[in-house]
Amino acid sequence: MFSFKWCHLLIIFHVLVATPMSSLTNSSDQLSTKFLDIAKKPEVFDWMVKIRRKIHENPELGYEEFETSKLIRVELDKLGIPYKHPVAVTGVVGFIGTGSSPFVAIRADMDALPIQERVEWEHKSKVPGKMHACGHDAHVAMLLGAAKILKQHENEIQGTIVLVFQPAEEGGGGAKKIVDSGALKNVTAIFGLHVVPEIPVGEVASRSGPLMAGSGVFEAIISGKGGHAAIPQLSIDPVLVASHVIISLQDLVSREADPLEPQVVTVSKFQGGGAFNVIPDYVTIGGTFRAFSREGLKHLKQRIEQVIIDQAAVQRCNASVNFHDEDKPLYPPTINNGDLHKLFVDVAGNLLGMDKVSADNPPVMAAEDFAFYQVVIPGYFFRLGVEYDSSEPPQSLHTPYLKINEDALPYGAALHASLATTYLIKYQQDVAKVVGEYHDKL
Ligand SMILES: *[C@@H]1O[C@H](CO)[C@@H](O)[C@H](O)[C@H]1NC(C)=O
Ligand SMILES: *[C@@H]1O[C@H](CO)[C@@H](O)[C@H](O)[C@H]1NC(C)=O
Ligand SMILES: *[C@@H]1O[C@H](CO)[C@@H](O)[C@H](O)[C@H]1NC(C)=O
Ligand SMILES: [Zn+2]
Ligand SMILES: [Zn+2]
């Protein structure tokens, strides 16, 4: 008897590349088309819109998504979908399918941003200073939509689909906490998406390889000696010293990094003093650094610390640098698996038409904590068009004016459902093929 072992995963994964999608039975194609039709029906569409609006009205920041998490669990209960909770504080991990291997995950993030909404509409945020300005409300609604559709087709699922509702994408590293919880232990692939207001509804974009940068934050206190602004010789002015530090930090990208490897260092925070005639004791500066490789990130981190401390010392100041490793972990770069890219292009092309799939979308320096999954599991992240009105300039993510076209919700739900089911079908076929080849060799 051939007994399947996890070490064969690697072989299977390579076979995934070799098996052309055309050799798949029609079942996955037909299933995908069916999923989109179902997602557009009022039973699913109106339900998703209602959920999205409810979450939009009550935005919650990272690790505080208590009501959002509860709403998700109530809906999963109604659908008869079992789940684990709490995972990573407020996270919910649901299961649909056979309950046994193979396992594939689809993920949504739940957190909002500390932004005051400026869009006047019926479902405007009811919480002052908080808004779903990154569209995670839509992400949750679409993953629930996928769950509803998948549950209706549970007997056609050839394995287990793991629904990941994670907390704290916006800087809190919720994905890392999900990984650390062990909830994804059996999972061999994970898919995630992000809404993009600049892309029309019904279109998607992504690429194989690096899609988004890795990032980290830094904060430094530069201490001098305060005093009367008219008698500078008796003080050590940290405002001027911090200014020199900021200038020196610009050398890291312009003079030390390979011009062909994109990197960013931005000082976005500069706080100190308050009076016109007082030199303050200290100044706080802070910002972000980004790169497309983990080595690049590590190098930047080390040099930022060195430059701040040494440059401050040149002018008699002490400096301490904090990278907030505990609450804002270093985000790895988001790097898409090549085999999953092929699967995505086939599934999305079949569902939307090849002309609606941008398969070599340029990378961006924004970061995404989906990357934490990709460190441990092959993963794939793509952009979903949610353009509100093509006659207006789009309002970007993270602005108080963001508007999302809810007509996009069925596309996200159907893509989630199709990617997961197709992955499992293909996985099973490839296992069968590997087992067959193994027997042939005996
Ligand atoms: C797939 O569907 C087409 C028509 O819909 C049919 O001609 C073909 O035989 C089917 N192939 C498989 C493998 O089922
Ligand atoms: C992993 O799979 C095994 C066997 O199917 C199951 O017993 C176990 O609960 C699974 N673990 C997780 C974290 O899903
Ligand atoms: C810097 O630190 C040293 C050692 O703790 C201390 O003696 C000195 O006064 C500090 N200088 C400033 C400007 O804070
Ligand atoms: Zn965001
Ligand atoms: Zn986001």
Side-chain angles (χ1 to χ4, degrees):
M1 267 298 286
F2 177 80
S3 79
F4 180 75
K5 293 211 186 72
W6 289 111
C7 59
H8 293 114
L9 274 180
L10 211 62
I11 311 170
I12 290 154
F13 213 74
H14 284 296
V15 178
L16 270 174
V17 204
T19 315
M21 287 293 287
S22 53
S23 75
L24 279 176
T25 58
N26 285 344
S27 62
S28 66
D29 285 4
Q30 283 164 356
L31 218 52
S32 298
T33 317
K34 198 158 69 175
F35 286 163
L36 185 55
D37 292 341
I38 298 171
K40 286 180 173 174
K41 287 199 174 123
E43 176 206 345
V44 180
F45 177 61
D46 293 352
W47 178 77
M48 282 192 290
V49 168
K50 219 171 104 191
I51 289 172
R52 186 252 156 173
R53 290 177 178 179
K54 202 164 168 191
I55 299 174
H56 191 86
E57 286 177 5
N58 186 26
E60 298 173 297
L61 303 182
Y63 297 121
E64 296 171 5
E65 307 93 336
F66 299 108
E67 294 305 316
T68 309
S69 171
K70 195 166 150 198
L71 182 152
I72 291 164
R73 282 176 280 130
V74 166
E75 295 303 336
L76 292 178
D77 282 335
K78 281 195 226 158
L79 293 169
I81 296 171
Y83 54 81
K84 278 189 195 153
H85 169 82
V87 181
V89 190
T90 54
V92 182
V93 178
F95 302 89
I96 306 176
T98 61
S100 52
S101 127
F103 289 77
V104 62
I106 41 183
R107 167 268 205 177
D109 37 16
M110 308 187 288
D111 55 325
L113 284 162
I115 290 179
Q116 174 62 47
E117 177 161 12
R118 304 267 175 232
V119 185
E120 295 306 328
W121 68 306
E122 206 187 327
H123 300 282
K124 183 177 172 176
S125 167
K126 288 181 175 160
V127 186
K130 293 181 192 171
M131 177 191 178
H132 268 289
C134 202
H136 299 182
D137 49 347
H139 295 174
V140 171
M142 289 187 284
L143 194 61
L144 279 172
K148 187 167 180 141
I149 299 166
L150 288 166
K151 189 65 185 175
Q152 289 172 4
H153 294 81
E154 192 161 27
N155 54 3
E156 289 162 74
I157 297 171
Q158 301 186 17
T160 308
I161 295 173
V162 181
L163 311 164
V164 179
F165 296 92
Q166 74 150 78
E169 189 285 324
E170 301 286 357
K176 186 170 188 298
K177 276 202 167 55
I178 296 268
V179 169
D180 293 346
S181 79
L184 305 183
K185 204 178 126 246
N186 293 328
V187 172
T188 54
I190 182 163
F191 294 93
L193 62 78
H194 208 296
V195 296
V196 174
E198 289 83 4
I199 300 176
V201 171
E203 297 189 19
V204 290
S206 191
R207 73 196 305 270
S208 184
L211 181 71
M212 300 174 85
S215 81
V217 301
F218 65 94
E219 193 168 34
I221 296 174
I222 295 165
S223 323
K225 184 164 169 261
H228 200 297
I231 317 170
Q233 72 275 24
L234 298 183
S235 293
I236 301 174
D237 180 1
V239 176
L240 183 62
V241 176
S243 307
H244 281 288
V245 167
I246 292 168
I247 302 282
S248 290
L249 286 172
Q250 305 313 306
D251 296 353
L252 297 181
V253 174
S254 73
R255 303 290 79 186
E256 293 186 22
D258 181 342
L260 297 178
E261 284 176 19
Q263 295 194 344
V264 168
V265 174
T266 295
V267 178
S268 49
K269 174 177 182 174
F270 192 123
Q271 283 175 345
F276 292 124
N277 56 359
V278 179
I279 292 171
D281 276 324
Y282 67 92
V283 160
T284 305
I285 63 167
T288 181
F289 56 102
R290 294 171 184 233
F292 275 102
S293 72
R294 296 223 261 171
E295 299 70 43
L297 270 185
K298 249 190 249 163
H299 180 74
L300 273 182
K301 185 178 174 185
Q302 177 218 329
R303 286 290 290 144
I304 284 169
E305 180 161 23
Q306 224 169 24
V307 166
I308 292 173
I309 291 172
D310 292 354
Q311 182 64 59
V314 168
Q315 285 150 317
R316 301 177 295 158
C317 277
N318 292 334
S320 63
V321 187
N322 181 353
F323 289 98
H324 292 274
D325 292 317
E326 288 303 311
D327 55 326
K328 298 195 187 310
L330 210 58
Y331 277 28
T334 301
I335 299 176
N336 276 337
N337 178 279
D339 299 332
L340 297 181
H341 176 68
K342 288 186 189 126
L343 186 112
F344 168 77
V345 170
D346 283 325
V347 168
N350 170 47
L351 205 77
L352 313 170
M354 225 22 131
D355 58 324
K356 307 289 185 199
V357 181
S358 161
D360 194 14
N361 206 229
V364 295
M365 296 306 293
E368 163 59 59
D369 90 343
F370 187 79
F372 284 113
Y373 301 116
Q374 293 172 316
V375 172
V376 291
I377 318 166
Y380 194 79
F381 196 72
F382 63 96
R383 301 172 176 141
L384 176 80
V386 295
E387 186 180 57
Y388 193 79
D389 179 352
S390 57
S391 66
E392 292 175 10
Q395 295 293 347
S396 303
L397 298 172
H398 288 217
T399 71
Y401 302 100
L402 175 73
K403 282 194 275 186
I404 283 178
N405 192 332
E406 291 168 335
D407 289 343
L409 299 179
Y411 293 97
L415 281 162
H416 269 313
S418 304
L419 286 166
T421 46
T422 306
Y423 173 84
L424 294 176
I425 290 170
K426 202 159 159 46
Y427 187 102
Q428 298 283 21
Q429 287 176 352
D430 291 334
V431 171
K433 202 164 163 237
V434 170
V435 174
E437 281 167 3
Y438 184 85
H439 281 298
D440 288 348
K441 284 195 191 113
L442 288 179

